Amino acid sequence: MSSPEPTIASTTGAINVRRRRVIVAATVGNLLEWYDNFIYGVLALTMARLFFPAGNEATSLILAFVTYGAGLAMRPVGAIVLGIYADRIGRSAALYAAMFIMGLGTALMAFVPTYQTIGVWAPLIVLLARLLQGFSGAGEIGSATALLVESAPAGSRGLYASLNASSQQIGFVLAAFVVMVMNLAMTQDEIDAGGWRLPFVFGLAIVPAALYIRANLGEPDIFRQRAKERRMRSAFAIGRAGSLLLALGMLLLYVIAGSVLFVYMPTFAVQKLGLTGASALFATVVATCVTIACTPVAGAMSDRLGRKPLLWIATVSFVLLTYPAFVLILAWPSIALLLLVQSGFGMLLALYVGPLFSALAELFPTRIRAVAVSLTYGIAGIIGAFAPALATWLIVVTGLVGAPAFAVIGAATLSAFALLAFEDRSGEPLS
């Protein structure tokens, strides 16, 4: 009689291979989305000059950041369309469609002529590209989160979902690194003459590989089990509207703190601290690497300790420490201190987002999980995308250079109220 060990080993190996493929397939789109987002963010000064000439730097920069935010106005539409598609047809099908649309937006950004060449059509094409990226990105986050938590082994949902957040941060690091190398290798005139396009072309090169990885990707067991009994209902069904508001409140701190302390910070460091663009980006890259390393750790910790304790620690810390940190770097502006402060914020952000995505997924049943997570994240993303413009505006109206801290503190306060109503379901099976 043959031994069962080879069969068991081969089955285990197949499961491990599938889980690795699921992780890569779920995270690569998030990586590209946030790569494109952060490329635009860290190139904001260049984009303002080339596409939004308005007579003075402040107005041009605000217009550039508003377009960055307005691009995410399509997130609720993309969340509903691609989220329902994911819940009815499948997670992998929705992720494939999202990647295709995302690639179209990236291609437009890579090859759009400047304002000097085609006038007002230039910012309109940039806006169209941002709309496509916002539409696809909204469906991406919910489908990827659902795929990860539904494919995770028992007791590992926090860890698996945290990889989704890590992929966003890896996208930022990759974007910041590419722009940093570009700044070191080119003069500003060379960048304005067309060098700024290279980061978008590099991002576009990821799309074919991502589409290949997502092709013919299977669905999680729990999704297939619910397929016959699933009757699609609105995410706003009675009893779920409260969960949607709760999820939105919990997301506010993540999207606003991430936008202000990482997307906006390189611009702030150049304009207000007098640092060079390359050094400011270096500090942000190092700090984000800290976040990447700590996020899965926080996710795994939440599988053991629960989601709520870690979320509370991070929220209270942001309320208490953000403004003093801005005061500190304004009093002694230097690359070393900026790196230290941003790395501290990176650890706090990891502590918050590590358990966040699994907590959001656990709020909703399988039949509406993708659309619910996508919709709440899409709405939160709109708010977060306007945070750099808000930070710039706060400095203007208050006259306080450290005023961007108020945006983060306000978001943390609102998220704290949401946490008061949050019921931790980390130890329960998915519904």
Side-chain angles (χ1 to χ4, degrees), residues 14-387:
I15 292 173
N16 289 336
V17 168
R18 166 168 164 68
R19 284 175 175 162
R20 285 195 293 269
R21 187 180 180 192
V22 163
I23 290 171
V24 173
T27 57
V28 67
N30 243 347
L31 187 154
L32 179 59
E33 182 204 356
W34 285 89
Y35 172 86
D36 283 340
N37 280 341
F38 289 131
I39 282 289
Y40 187 101
V42 298
L43 284 175
L45 291 173
T46 298
M47 301 299 290
R49 284 194 299 271
L50 296 180
F51 292 95
F52 305 96
N56 66 81
E57 184 181 69
T59 303
S60 294
L61 184 60
I62 289 174
L63 288 173
F65 277 133
V66 166
T67 300
Y68 171 85
L72 299 185
M74 284 295 287
R75 278 184 172 270
V77 180
I80 293 172
V81 174
L82 292 176
I84 290 176
Y85 188 62
D87 285 329
R88 299 191 69 174
I89 307 301
R91 293 16 177 150
S92 59
L95 288 172
Y96 190 93
M99 178 54 64
F100 183 80
I101 297 169
M102 193 181 302
L104 291 179
T106 303
L108 285 177
M109 286 299 306
F111 302 115
V112 57
T114 63
Y115 188 94
Q116 186 177 6
T117 303
I118 59 172
V120 72
W121 286 104
L124 291 178
I125 293 173
V126 171
L127 177 60
L128 175 60
R130 294 294 304 149
L131 291 175
L132 288 173
Q133 290 170 335
F135 180 93
S136 61
E140 179 78 34
I141 189 70
S143 301
T145 299
L147 181 64
L148 286 167
V149 297
E150 292 167 4
S151 302
S156 299
R157 294 199 302 256
L159 173 60
Y160 268 55
S162 71
L163 298 176
N164 212 15
S166 290
S167 69
Q168 296 177 348
Q169 298 148 11
I170 292 171
F172 172 76
V173 168
L174 186 60
F177 178 77
V178 168
V179 174
M180 183 172 62
V181 171
M182 181 184 69
N183 285 335
L184 292 173
M186 299 181 183
T187 65
Q188 188 59 55
D189 288 341
E190 290 172 334
I191 292 172
D192 289 351
W196 64 271
R197 298 183 187 276
L198 296 178
F200 292 106
V201 173
F202 179 76
L204 185 61
I206 300 174
V207 174
L211 289 173
Y212 175 78
I213 292 171
R214 288 182 170 182
N216 302 314
L217 185 68
E219 300 295 338
D221 291 339
I222 189 172
F223 180 85
R224 293 199 302 266
Q225 290 167 4
R226 300 288 193 273
K228 292 183 179 179
E229 64 189 54
R230 187 184 306 112
R231 290 196 296 262
M232 190 63 201
R233 301 173 188 171
S234 169
F236 292 102
I238 295 175
R240 295 298 172 188
S243 295
L244 288 168
L245 290 174
L246 177 60
L248 178 61
M250 292 170 63
L251 278 162
L252 285 178
L253 175 56
Y254 174 56
V255 297
I256 291 178
S259 292
V260 172
L261 300 176
F262 291 89
V263 177
Y264 173 70
M265 188 59 79
T267 300
F268 179 85
V270 171
Q271 289 189 320
K272 306 302 180 184
L273 303 182
L275 302 178
T276 65
S279 63
L281 282 174
F282 175 75
T284 303
V285 166
V286 172
T288 308
C289 286
V290 172
T291 307
I292 293 170
C294 294
T295 296
V297 175
M301 287 173 60
S302 75
D303 286 323
R304 292 180 173 272
L305 304 176
R307 321 295 184 212
K308 201 164 186 175
L310 301 185
L311 293 170
W312 266 120
I313 293 171
T315 301
V316 173
S317 297
F318 272 114
V319 170
L320 297 178
L321 299 178
T322 303
Y323 189 73
F326 269 84
V327 171
L328 188 65
I329 59 176
L330 286 168
W332 295 283
S334 69
I335 180 63
L337 187 56
L338 178 63
L339 193 154
L340 181 63
V341 167
Q342 278 198 280
S343 295
F345 282 134
M347 292 181 67
L348 288 180
L349 198 64
L351 194 63
Y352 192 79
V353 75
L356 179 62
F357 283 125
S358 53
L360 297 178
E362 290 159 354
L363 283 175
F364 304 100
T366 300
R367 63 181 175 83
I368 62 168
R369 180 169 294 121
V371 68
V373 174
S374 291
L375 184 58
T376 52
Y377 190 84
I379 296 172
I382 294 174
I383 299 170
F386 283 103

